[in-house]
Amino acid sequence: MQPAISSLLFKSHPLARVLDLAGEFDISWLEVWSEHFWRDDDGSLLQKIQRSGLNISVHGPTGDINITSSNPGIREESLKQVLQGVEGAASMGARVITIHPGYLTGRQDEPDSIRDLQIEAFTRIAKRGKDLGILIAMETMEKKAKEVVIRPDLANEIIDAVNMENFGVTFDISHAHTVMDVVEFIRSLRRIVHIHISDTKSGKVHVQMGEGEIAFGPVLQALKEKYDGPLVIEGWNPKDEMGMVDKSTSFLRKQLESI
């Protein structure tokens, strides 16, 4: 396992600059958010990514996106945007793209009401990913209103229903801590293909590593038994982006050295 960073840690910077910043922090793996790319693309950004020498993963679009919306127009546009993200990720040479699962449109809706829509959406996305040679990773979400895919049993159910080799889970450690014991969560998940890592404090997710409540030693040890890939550090401190990245990467490296 190795430290990696999300491009949104440097949200205030142009993505082209983030490519350089990764190197300055001795990071060889960068996760590009689709919306960060779309915001900053001047026609030459794709080529810069391809020539950066970095290993690339992608986080698909999330703003105003709901692939299980009860509004058919919103649902179809969400899928269109996600598929655009998948195609963009393949163009960047990414190994994997993380996609947020759909969520309830209204608080009164029942989780079972979107089960079939969830499976249909991810089957469609995974088929496109297979055509393009890229892994599709459904993210496990935090415990909050309207979120549905927050526990390992449902994640496993969707994996089984989609039943494609290029489809698995992005396990978000900070999200999981809001739901249940993180180590138990890891041991219950059947197909982890990607990891997001950050701390959690008093219910707030994506806190700087080492400043929250998660005991990372046992978590990383459990991960080591079934995963060997990048650990994408997430979060954003608009007052000190550099400091957050420096402290979180240093903390993670020390934790990895100890397991």
Side-chain angles (χ1 to χ4, degrees):
M1 295 185 290
Q2 66 183 86
I5 60 172
S6 165
S7 70
L8 284 197
L9 285 162
F10 296 111
K11 186 177 180 180
S12 71
H13 290 73
L15 184 53
R17 172 61 179 144
V18 178
L19 300 175
D20 296 329
L21 286 169
E24 292 176 20
F25 283 93
D26 196 25
I27 292 290
S28 62
W29 194 296
L30 176 68
E31 180 149 300
V32 175
W33 274 66
S34 295
E35 287 138 325
H36 203 170
F37 178 85
W38 295 342
R39 184 194 74 182
D40 294 344
D41 185 24
D42 60 358
S44 65
L45 189 52
L46 178 60
Q47 189 175 71
K48 289 176 182 176
I49 292 171
Q50 293 169 336
R51 293 180 175 179
S52 68
L54 295 167
N55 294 303
I56 299 294
S57 56
V58 171
H59 196 304
T62 61
D64 301 322
I65 299 289
N66 184 6
I67 61 173
T68 60
S69 173
S70 62
N71 182 317
I74 298 298
R75 186 167 67 245
E76 190 58 34
E77 180 60 29
S78 294
L79 276 165
K80 177 182 176 182
Q81 296 286 324
V82 168
L83 290 168
Q84 183 181 343
V86 172
E87 291 167 4
S91 297
M92 294 178 207
R95 180 186 72 90
V96 58
I97 180 171
T98 294
I99 305 296
H100 280 192
Y103 53 90
L104 301 176
T105 299
R107 293 176 185 269
Q108 73 279 9
D109 296 338
E110 292 294 330
D112 284 350
S113 70
I114 64 170
R115 178 186 180 278
D116 290 346
L117 290 174
Q118 196 89 262
I119 292 167
E120 290 169 11
F122 274 116
T123 300
R124 182 173 166 186
I125 295 163
K127 285 180 177 178
R128 185 58 180 145
K130 182 180 179 181
D131 292 341
L132 296 169
I134 189 169
L135 287 172
I136 305 299
M138 174 184 68
E139 185 164 1
T140 55
M141 304 305 291
E142 71 268 39
K143 185 178 182 180
K144 70 175 186 180
K146 299 185 182 181
E147 290 292 358
V148 173
V149 185
I150 64 172
R151 300 185 65 86
D153 52 349
L154 182 53
N156 287 337
E157 181 183 330
I158 296 169
I159 290 169
D160 290 345
V162 173
N163 192 28
M164 293 185 66
E165 290 184 1
N166 70 316
F167 181 67
V169 165
T170 289
F171 177 62
D172 190 301
I173 293 168
S174 181
H175 290 172
H177 185 72
T178 69
V179 178
M180 61 185 284
D181 179 78
V182 180
V183 171
E184 182 182 346
F185 203 132
I186 292 167
R187 290 174 176 163
S188 299
L189 272 176
R190 285 203 286 273
R191 187 143 199 265
I192 298 174
V193 298
H194 198 53
I195 297 291
H196 287 167
I197 190 167
S198 56
D199 221 328
T200 306
K201 187 175 183 179
S202 300
K204 182 180 179 181
V205 296
H206 306 317
V207 174
Q208 181 176 297
M209 294 191 69
E211 291 196 349
E213 304 156 353
I214 299 176
F216 284 100
V219 169
L220 293 171
Q221 191 63 52
L223 276 178
K224 188 178 180 181
E225 297 172 6
K226 60 195 309 181
Y227 178 81
D228 184 20
L231 304 171
V232 180
I233 299 169
E234 290 195 311
W236 184 48
N237 182 349
K239 295 181 179 179
D240 188 14
E241 290 176 324
M242 298 290 185
M244 183 174 191
V245 175
D246 182 46
K247 292 171 184 175
S248 286
T249 54
S250 296
F251 179 89
L252 180 54
R253 286 185 172 115
K254 289 178 182 177
Q255 290 288 312
L256 289 170
E257 288 171 0
S258 68
I259 61 170

